[in-house]
């Protein structure tokens, strides 16, 4: 449910192949969120996971609300009807 592009090893600026601007441009092109992070220094890690968690909670609430509306309308026959209306997207895209 949470789609983003993550530039890893941002602490190795001298070995950089993709600039921040290039990564952001690709993310914008596909309407994705862009983060740069470093596991070594911890830079950007918290923001990336916070965004992923907030997005997951938001999408879960939307799903639950949709499911409750379907049940209220008498369409509680199976979860397949509501699952088919939820967009399925990859969790992560790695470059």
């Amino acid at each position: 449910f949470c789609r983003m592009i993550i530039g890893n090893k941002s602490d190795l600026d001298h070995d950089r192949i993709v600039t921040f601007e290039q990564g952001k441009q690709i993310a914008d092109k596909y309407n994705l969120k862009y983060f740069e992070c470093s596991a070594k220094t911890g830079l950007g890690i918290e923001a990336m996971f916070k965004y992923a968690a907030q997005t997951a909670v938001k999408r879960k609430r939307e799903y639950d609300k949709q499911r409750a509306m379907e049940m209220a309308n008498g369409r509680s026959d199976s979860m397949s009807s509501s699952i088919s209306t939820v967009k399925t997207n990859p969790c992560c895209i790695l470059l």
Side-chain angles (χ1 to χ4, degrees):
F1 287 110
C2 179
R3 298 172 42 188
M4 62 181 108
I5 294 178
I6 303 164
N8 192 22
K9 299 186 183 275
S10 63
D11 57 292
L12 299 177
D13 214 26
H14 59 283
D15 292 334
R16 182 179 283 274
I17 297 172
V18 178
T19 67
F20 176 87
E21 292 77 20
Q22 289 170 323
K24 179 78 170 105
Q25 186 178 32
I26 292 168
D28 290 345
K29 179 179 177 181
Y30 294 101
N31 198 27
L32 304 173
K33 188 79 172 169
Y34 180 68
F35 292 95
E36 286 196 345
C37 64
S38 168
K40 182 177 182 179
T41 67
L43 180 70
I45 299 290
E46 184 176 341
M48 175 189 60
F49 279 107
K50 185 176 180 178
Y51 172 78
Q54 288 174 335
T55 301
V57 168
K58 179 182 173 188
R59 298 271 169 88
K60 174 73 167 99
R61 286 182 181 148
E62 290 170 357
Y63 173 83
D64 289 346
K65 183 178 177 180
Q66 177 183 350
R67 183 78 176 125
M69 288 179 9
E70 286 180 0
M71 291 180 75
N73 291 330
R75 293 190 307 193
S76 60
D77 52 343
S78 72
M79 289 187 63
S80 63
S81 63
S82 56
I83 291 174
S84 65
T85 61
V86 175
K87 293 180 182 176
T88 56
N89 295 316
C91 174
C92 302
I93 297 174
L94 303 174
L95 297 177

